[in-house]
Amino acid sequence: MSMSSVPLSTGTQPKGKLRYTVVIWLLIGGMINYIDRSILSIAAPEMMNDLNFTATDIGLLGTAFSLAYALGQLPSGWLIDQFGPKKIFGIGIMIWSFATFAAGIVSVLWLFILLRILLGIGEAPCFPSAAKITSKWYPKKERGFISGIWDSSSKWGPALAPPILVLIMATFGWRELFYFAGIVGIIFGGIFLKFYNDPEKSKKLTKEEYDYIKQDNEDSNAVETSTISWFSLFKYRSVWGMILGFFCTIWIWNIFLVFLPLYLLDRFAVSFAALGLLASIPWIGGAFGNIISGYVSKKMAESGRFTPMKAKQIIISISAVISAVTVIMIPFINSIGLTVTLMTVALFFISSITGNAWALATDVAPSFMVASVGSIQNFGGYFGGALSPVVAGMIVDLTGSYTLAFISGGLIAGCAAICYLFIVKHPIQTQNVQ
């Protein structure tokens, strides 16, 4: 198929829906990604018993992953923009799957820390790759909805993990959790490398659908003529707004990811069998938060009353305020049913932030730097995420309570509204060399 001439589409839906199959790759990859990183929260009680780990040790493992993941964002975004998402994402899958499998073998804390660092490095390209693929395969008005779908993988993963992994652990042991997830990841990585292609290389994509996808993309020649550099991205106010906003969001996100099962066990003394169901419910709420908010963003943009960028900013800000109030309420509730309900509501709106924030990167960044801007935003998020688990673990060990961890996390999450609504202002404008 020749792509030398790409006329603008009228905006009507074209024949052919191949682009909607691409999101399945991103959804599955993200689910495996999050199952692998959430294994720690499921295995933690048995690891603490068998290996004499403390809550601070578990928090340290969460921090080791998040810090490596955060630092890994910076080179991964640049690599994806330079060499393409297929190659970098595929290599990342293999690295993180090996780290997951190997975690089932070791027994001492420092080796676990090293493997969590390797896990973070391997997983770093996952979501910047998804943002890049979204910018390649979808017009701007669809990107909020599509990003909501693939970002929901970060909730479906933890939602599916508890019942599946608890069953595996109850049957075989906690080490088998790591073996199982590692093998699944390696298989998926091989399949992705074999079958995924960008639109320009797809043999099944019709020209009509290709033209529809590319209707509002920048001229590809901008890649060669733009004076913008990777380092200069840090000069833009909107980029800093995204960094700070995601810092606030992932701070509370990682507290849920690392400590949600432990909180239910410690606070309500639920049985380990019941934990599998109870710990999954809030993440299901998060998945629906991703998808529903992405759909609302799409409709707002299609209405013509809001630009795609402004629609996402409004949804993010409202969601940040609601999630802040909900999170602060959690430690003051004595009913397990109401606690799980509040956690579900909180993760619904936190997920609304994350999905729209990833889609926002495709609005703020020029097409050839989407992965770079997305990964820089994610760096800010997981810099906060690196701090929050160990801070929360220390609070629990020192006070015997999660109250301060939730209150501080809720206040920080609420600040995301300020960052995304008032600091993020304009898309990055490129100037071409004449």
Side-chain angles (χ1 to χ4, degrees):
M1 177 174 59
S2 174
M3 302 299 180
S4 58
S5 176
V6 184
L8 292 177
S9 167
T10 61
T12 58
Q13 291 289 323
K15 294 180 180 178
K17 304 291 184 181
L18 183 64
R19 67 190 186 283
Y20 291 130
T21 67
V22 173
V23 74
I24 297 174
W25 289 107
L26 307 180
L27 183 64
I28 294 174
M31 287 174 62
I32 295 173
N33 180 294
Y34 261 84
I35 287 175
D36 285 9
R37 73 173 75 176
S38 65
I39 287 175
L40 177 64
S41 67
I42 300 299
E46 291 300 316
M47 291 171 64
M48 293 169 75
N49 288 333
D50 290 352
L51 306 175
N52 295 318
F53 286 175
T54 65
T56 300
D57 292 333
I58 297 299
L60 181 60
L61 292 177
T63 293
F65 164 81
S66 294
L67 187 58
Y69 185 79
L71 294 175
Q73 293 301 307
L74 300 179
S76 68
W78 182 85
L79 289 169
I80 292 163
D81 282 329
Q82 294 298 312
F83 301 105
K86 177 176 181 176
K87 182 181 296 184
I88 304 304
F89 186 28
I91 293 172
I93 294 170
M94 296 302 183
I95 292 173
W96 96 54
S97 299
F98 167 79
T100 300
F101 185 91
I105 301 173
V106 302
S107 297
V108 295
L109 183 61
W110 72 269
L111 285 175
F112 273 107
I113 291 173
L114 288 179
L115 288 172
R116 294 296 288 185
I117 291 172
L118 186 62
L119 179 71
I121 293 171
E123 291 199 352
C126 179
F127 289 93
S129 294
K132 185 72 170 184
I133 290 171
T134 300
S135 72
K136 287 177 172 289
W137 273 93
Y138 303 92
K140 287 185 177 180
K141 65 182 179 181
E142 293 186 357
R143 292 176 190 173
F145 182 46
I146 294 300
S147 296
I149 293 175
W150 59 252
D151 190 58
S152 73
S153 65
S154 60
K155 293 81 188 174
W156 290 121
L160 295 174
I164 295 174
L165 299 181
V166 165
L167 177 62
I168 293 173
M169 186 160 65
T171 305
F172 300 103
W174 63 266
R175 293 186 182 277
E176 280 69 19
L177 300 182
F178 294 98
Y179 299 150
F180 170 78
I183 292 172
V184 169
I186 291 171
I187 293 173
F188 173 77
I191 295 174
F192 177 83
L193 286 169
K194 174 72 174 176
F195 293 105
Y196 170 79
N197 282 302
D198 288 340
E200 291 78 8
K201 297 181 180 179
S202 174
K203 297 180 180 179
K204 298 181 179 179
L205 183 64
T206 66
K207 186 177 187 300
E208 182 183 10
E209 187 174 9
Y210 182 89
D211 291 349
Y212 177 79
I213 289 169
K214 298 297 182 182
Q215 64 181 273
D216 51 11
N217 281 5
E218 298 90 340
D219 187 346
S220 60
N221 290 332
V223 178
E224 299 178 1
T225 62
S226 174
T227 58
I228 193 171
S229 68
W230 185 88
F231 287 103
S232 69
L233 292 173
F234 291 93
K235 298 179 180 179
Y236 290 90
R237 170 177 172 162
S238 290
V239 171
W240 278 104
M242 294 168 70
I243 291 172
L244 295 173
F246 224 50
F247 178 100
C248 298
T249 304
I250 302 301
W251 181 284
I252 188 60
W253 168 263
N254 259 21
I255 291 177
F256 276 107
L257 188 65
V258 175
F259 287 106
L260 190 155
L262 280 175
Y263 179 77
L264 295 177
L265 284 172
D266 292 346
R267 180 71 187 273
F268 300 104
V270 300
S271 68
F272 198 68
L275 179 66
L277 175 62
L278 292 173
S280 68
I281 292 173
W283 298 107
I284 295 175
F288 281 103
N290 264 131
I291 296 170
I292 292 172
S293 67
Y295 182 77
V296 172
S297 170
K298 178 176 180 287
K299 287 300 182 182
M300 289 174 66
E302 288 178 343
S303 72
R305 291 179 293 176
F306 305 94
T307 65
M309 181 173 168
K310 181 57 67 175
K312 297 176 184 69
Q313 289 178 279
I314 292 171
I315 292 173
I316 288 172
S317 301
I318 293 173
S319 298
V321 173
I322 296 175
S323 63
V325 173
T326 309
V327 168
I328 291 171
M329 293 172 60
I330 288 174
F332 300 101
I333 302 301
N334 295 318
S335 162
I336 187 171
L338 187 53
T339 295
V340 172
T341 299
L342 285 175
M343 287 180 166
T344 304
V345 173
L347 281 171
F348 179 99
F349 286 102
I350 294 169
S351 302
S352 175
I353 301 172
T354 61
N356 280 281
W358 275 110
L360 190 65
T362 69
D363 295 325
V364 171
S367 63
F368 58 93
M369 298 198 83
V370 165
S372 294
V373 171
S375 65
I376 289 171
Q377 175 181 237
N378 211 23
F379 162 77
Y382 278 87
F383 186 76
L387 297 175
S388 63
V390 72
V391 170
M394 292 173 65
I395 289 173
V396 173
D397 285 339
L398 290 172
T399 67
S401 169
Y402 287 84
T403 300
L404 289 178
F406 279 112
I407 292 175
S408 59
L411 291 173
I412 291 171
C415 291
I418 299 172
C419 299
Y420 280 108
L421 193 59
F422 297 109
I423 302 179
V424 177
K425 283 293 184 181
H426 305 290
I428 296 171
Q429 300 295 325
T430 61
Q431 294 183 347
N432 293 341
V433 177
Q434 300 298 324

